[in-house]
Amino acid sequence: MASAALSRRLPCRDDAARARLGAVADRTRPVTLARERSLPVAGSLGELLPGAALQRGTVVQVDGALGAGATSVALALAAAATQAGEWVGAVDLAGTLGAEAAAAAGVALERFPVVRLVPGALERWAAVVAALLDGVGLVLAELPRHARVGDARRLAARARERGAVLVVLPTAAARWPGDVSLHLVAEGGSWSGLESGAGLLASRALRLRVEGRGAAAQVRRGELARVG
Amino acid sequence: MHPERTLALWCPAWAVSTACQEDAGLADAPVAIMERGPRGLVVFAASARARAVGVATGLRRREAEARCAELVIIDRDPAAEARAFESVARATEPITPAVVLERPGVLTFPTRGPSRYFGGDDALAARVLEAITALGVSDVRVGIADGAFAARLAARRAEPGASGAGATNVVAPGESPTFLAPWPVAVLRGLVEDGAGDGLSSLLVRLGLRTLGDFAALPAPSVLARFGTDGARAHRVAAGLDELTAAPTVPPPELVETCELDPPATRVDEVAFVAKELADRLLDRLAALGLACSQVVVEAETEHGEHHSRCWRHEGGLTAAALTTRVRWQLDAWLTNHASDADPVTAGLTLLRLAPDRVVPATGRQLGLWGGDAAAVDRAERVLARLQGMLGHHAVVSAVVDGGRTPTERVRWVPWGEPRDEPVAVDAAPWPGAVPGPAPARVHAAPVPAELLDASGDPVQVSGRGEAPTAPVRLRSDALPGGSGVVVAWSGPWAHDLRWWDRITRRRRALWQVVVTCPDPRPEAGGAAREQQLACLVAVEGGRAAVEAVYD
């Protein structure tokens, strides 16, 4: 009795009402659907990507030997996401991700949670990445040695379903066992500013190769200007 | 509508007396209880001796210590305060069954029934005072007025007599608006959730409205138009009216959330998880009906059939976190048995129930039609909390860039959910001796051992003056892809003498920026093995070199 009186008097906010509201929102949504499906990437990195953007719901692999600049490229992608207002989650296996470099690349650190997996928790890697894909717009995941084909397929499906970008960073011993829609390979470059016994590290010209499927099928090569 | 006549009981120094109860040695010492607020650690409460030398609420720790050198600093423990306050609530129960806890140290109840039974408001106030003083609580103030807000202020106005044991103050029925009028608007602070009351009271002062009487004299529709629903609520309270325009709805019984505990729980942490789930579920269901809850009854049953219940109230609606905290305090109070308890919990809890007692239409946040930032924040926070539950509190962190010399020192990792305490304008002044240049993308918190060798194959030495007689030629370390590389460019050594004023923690080290070429471990198919450049930061300390960071 009291309940009936209550629901008459108050605006209805149950699931059915939400669904109806959602349907109205979909019908009256302003256009821009194409742009909403992508994260724009600015600068010389963006010029190398098809459409100067990352497509949401895809898997991107950033590869390169240590010191060749793969981490810098991945952080630049993370910066593009936080600048679009998204949250970025990182899975840091060795605890070596440089937060200062992230801040310098333009990542908003208050929207950049980092998950540290101690060696004992490595078997939870797939569960952690899947959880992050639920909550944030871009996940930066270092690959452990044992990443399985099944995990890769599940995570790619989860990213597609959630509209999140999964950026995988394989280490020397690990490879991403699934398909990727974009493959960025950092090929290193020469450092300038430092000489024999004098000067300071200033910048480097980072060579980058971009391969992929669809619009990115043609291999693009280019240099990123002034990457730290 | 006229507010219900209410009695408020206030123990002014509850935090201090709780701390003194736990540690008898503090009884005569100047004690300050600290709480972490938006300005950092500030004084939350101070003992009489500390107050006498000028330690006031809101002072920062260092200011407080400067005013009183022998000050004993204690962190606030709201759970212990709530646990100790349970005895006060129990002592009030013989007088009225309708006790409502507002926060540790303050409780209220409607006086209509008990006042008639005991022969008037004055007699009731005296009786409550007597009951609480009998517990050994040193300072008790009792105020009776129309409405809980006026009653709390009446208790604050109660002046202790010569005996110092406590005081009562009764504002006659209908006199509350006159009583409230001269109070400064700052007392509205805390009435509105999330510090919004702070903004309101300071804004009113800037508008020239310094007292509640000035504010109450404004026409209500204009206040609603200018300050919104929260402002209108504060306006009604300032005018001595009930804060709600409509009578509070009696919540339907199906909103009660119950959980059976099997096996019975005897420790708080066993129930706390269930309590959080119950609180979330209750508030979710209320939100679906467009309701907020300002008062909730926590009930528990034990294996021996004992039934306990306690009512908690929070100004401006309970959030999930606030509700969980209060349930946790209450369970803690029940499960921690005191020897003096007349009615102790003798067995494990088998049932926990949360019943909303007063629900009001929710006027809070409304999400944008197309989602928006608030939804993204909620989603991310929920996932991160889940990950913290799965991997541990310290496994999910957030970085704060701070001052320091090396990349390791410049970054502070804060567990997710804790205050980030961002430094103000970190770039304002350079750090002497800081490593210049771009920030390395890979930082080894535990540097990887390395060997920095000169042309003859010996480790490069750095003298006490920070000079190296020979040039580095080769770097060998597990941190490099091939295990070693040829130095093509370097700079350094930069000598650091850290904490030279302290013999034990003093460290001396020298830093090198080094660019090496090493073989690419993954040469392209068919191509010859290529070489690539790698820049890193090498530290030499105590004759041993280590790679601190790699510019990846």
Side-chain angles (χ1 to χ4, degrees):
Chain A
M1 172 64 208
S3 160
L6 200 68
S7 51
R8 256 205 313 281
R9 203 166 61 71
L10 293 161
C12 189
R13 297 186 196 178
D14 56 5
D15 289 339
R18 276 174 213 279
R20 274 202 299 281
L21 186 64
V24 173
D26 279 340
R27 251 203 329 272
T28 56
R29 185 193 288 276
V31 257
T32 65
L33 273 176
R35 206 193 64 202
E36 277 189 5
R37 294 292 304 160
S38 65
L39 283 172
V41 181
S44 49
L45 176 58
E47 287 166 18
L48 288 177
L49 301 180
L54 287 178
Q55 295 305 311
R56 287 180 198 257
T58 58
V59 181
V60 178
Q61 181 172 348
V62 180
D63 221 343
L66 181 73
T71 312
S72 298
V73 172
L75 288 177
L77 296 178
T82 61
Q83 277 159 14
E86 288 287 350
W87 285 59
V88 174
V91 179
D92 190 7
L93 297 183
T96 56
L97 204 59
E100 212 190 348
V107 175
L109 290 182
E110 69 277 5
R111 275 185 277 130
F112 184 60
V114 177
V115 180
R116 291 187 164 166
L117 277 187
V118 289
L122 268 186
E123 72 272 16
R124 301 223 182 129
W125 179 84
V128 168
V129 176
L132 278 176
L133 284 171
D134 277 349
V136 302
L138 186 142
V139 178
L140 212 65
E142 285 179 14
L143 276 188
R145 196 166 295 204
H146 65 269
R148 285 188 293 263
V149 183
D151 285 345
R153 205 176 296 140
R154 265 195 295 281
L155 291 176
R158 179 74 71 108
R160 192 161 54 241
E161 180 195 341
R162 297 284 166 182
V165 183
L166 175 59
V167 178
V168 288
L169 270 169
T171 47
R175 291 297 158 103
W176 175 249
D179 286 340
V180 294
S181 52
L182 209 56
H183 189 179
L184 277 61
V185 185
E187 295 181 323
S190 55
W191 283 90
S192 62
L194 202 61
E195 296 158 26
S196 300
L200 291 169
L201 272 187
S203 65
R204 89 175 132 182
L206 178 66
R207 284 193 305 278
L208 189 68
R209 193 175 77 229
V210 180
E211 308 166 348
R213 293 190 317 229
Q218 192 181 3
V219 177
R220 305 177 183 211
R221 284 170 191 275
E223 277 198 356
L224 304 188
R226 296 193 61 82
V227 177
Chain B
M1 201 184 97
H2 269 288
E4 201 171 25
R5 202 141 170 82
T6 308
L7 180 144
L9 183 146
W10 177 48
C11 302
W14 189 253
V16 175
S17 66
T18 309
C20 294
Q21 269 173 20
E22 293 196 346
D23 185 352
L26 293 174
D28 293 325
V31 177
I33 312 287
M34 310 299 279
E35 187 185 39
R36 186 169 283 284
R39 287 171 57 225
L41 219 53
V42 295
V43 176
F44 172 75
S47 70
R49 259 197 71 192
R51 282 200 306 271
V53 290
V55 177
T57 306
L59 279 189
R60 282 168 198 253
R61 178 187 176 140
R62 209 166 285 175
E63 292 170 294
E65 281 174 334
R67 289 184 188 187
C68 177
E70 67 268 37
L71 191 66
V72 180
I73 300 272
I74 297 172
D75 281 337
R76 194 186 170 203
D77 182 0
E81 288 170 31
R83 198 159 57 223
F85 200 60
E86 174 71 9
S87 63
V88 174
R90 280 202 188 143
T92 328
E93 270 185 333
I95 299 168
T96 176
V99 180
V100 178
L101 302 187
E102 305 248 340
R103 59 182 163 85
V106 177
L107 63 82
T108 60
F109 58 83
T111 65
R112 213 179 70 161
S115 184
R116 240 184 236 174
Y117 183 79
F118 289 108
D121 286 342
D122 290 297
L124 174 66
R127 179 146 189 127
V128 171
L129 186 62
E130 190 189 337
I132 307 304
T133 327
L135 289 177
V137 180
S138 56
D139 194 358
V140 186
R141 314 280 170 87
V142 177
I144 298 183
D146 299 342
F149 179 71
R152 281 202 302 273
L153 290 183
R156 269 170 73 169
R157 189 48 66 77
E159 289 297 332
S163 63
T168 63
N169 182 15
V170 176
V171 178
E175 292 293 310
S176 286
T178 337
F179 167 73
L180 288 174
W183 285 86
V185 285
V187 295
L188 290 173
R189 216 172 268 180
L191 188 68
V192 187
E193 197 192 356
D194 292 342
D198 265 29
L200 179 67
S201 57
S202 69
L203 177 60
L204 290 176
V205 170
R206 276 179 277 141
L207 292 172
L209 301 164
R210 288 172 192 287
T211 64
L212 292 185
D214 293 344
F215 183 40
L218 299 179
S222 317
V223 171
L224 177 62
R226 173 68 179 77
F227 300 108
T229 44
D230 281 346
R233 200 158 66 87
H235 179 253
R236 277 196 298 277
V237 167
L241 302 172
D242 202 346
E243 59 181 80
L244 302 171
T245 42
T249 323
V250 176
E254 65 263 24
L255 279 179
V256 175
E257 287 289 347
T258 311
C259 182
E260 308 245 352
L261 303 166
D262 189 21
T266 50
R267 289 199 326 270
V268 179
D269 47 345
E270 293 169 357
V271 203
F273 209 67
V274 178
K276 170 145 185 16
E277 203 185 304
L278 276 187
D280 285 346
R281 224 155 63 196
L282 176 68
L283 292 178
D284 276 355
R285 285 177 58 188
L286 285 173
L289 287 169
L291 294 171
C293 170
S294 63
Q295 198 165 307
V296 73
V297 180
V298 185
E299 291 178 57
E301 279 173 22
T302 69
E303 278 178 293
H304 293 175
E306 292 149 336
H307 184 93
H308 295 268
S309 83
R310 187 69 72 212
C311 182
W312 280 90
R313 186 183 136 80
H314 189 266
E315 296 287 355
L318 283 158
T319 60
L323 180 54
T324 314
T325 324
R326 276 157 185 77
V327 174
R328 205 188 154 100
W329 288 349
Q330 192 54 53
L331 292 169
D332 200 14
W334 280 330
L335 290 171
T336 316
N337 278 319
H338 293 283
S340 60
D341 281 354
D343 186 18
V345 174
T346 54
L349 300 183
T350 53
L351 184 115
L352 181 66
R353 188 180 294 136
L354 292 185
D357 199 32
R358 279 179 79 153
V359 294
V360 291
T363 51
R365 194 184 50 163
Q366 182 104 40
L367 294 185
L369 189 54
W370 292 289
D373 275 348
V377 174
D378 271 4
R379 212 156 44 111
E381 295 282 0
R382 217 167 22 238
V383 162
L384 295 173
R386 197 164 84 220
L387 286 177
Q388 274 181 327
M390 197 162 106
L391 304 167
H393 187 57
H394 292 271
V396 184
V397 288
S398 137
V400 182
V401 178
D402 234 338
R405 290 183 186 82
T406 64
T408 319
E409 286 172 7
R410 273 201 292 264
V411 173
R412 192 158 44 83
W413 294 97
V414 186
W416 192 262
E418 288 185 9
R420 282 164 56 84
D421 291 334
E422 291 203 56
V424 198
V426 87
D427 293 328
W431 265 80
V435 177
R442 291 283 169 189
V443 178
H444 294 281
V448 185
E451 285 178 331
L452 194 59
L453 307 172
D454 61 14
S456 57
D458 297 325
V460 176
Q461 304 289 328
V462 180
S463 74
R465 288 166 167 268
E467 286 162 358
T470 52
V473 167
R474 204 168 177 78
L475 179 66
R476 215 181 272 155
S477 169
D478 287 342
L480 303 184
S484 85
V486 180
V487 175
V488 291
W490 77 93
S491 173
W494 302 312
H496 285 171
D497 198 353
L498 306 178
R499 303 187 68 84
W500 45 263
W501 57 87
D502 187 346
R503 231 157 27 95
I504 296 164
T505 58
R506 180 180 185 186
R507 288 174 68 189
R508 305 184 58 176
R509 65 176 177 207
L511 287 177
W512 300 78
Q513 260 183 353
V514 177
V515 174
V516 297
T517 56
C518 23
D520 191 336
R522 282 182 278 185
E524 279 180 71
R530 298 184 311 132
E531 292 202 324
Q532 61 138 350
Q533 281 197 353
L534 181 143
C536 58
L537 194 67
V538 179
V540 180
E541 188 173 353
R544 289 203 186 85
V547 174
E548 278 225 356
V550 177
Y551 295 79
D552 184 23

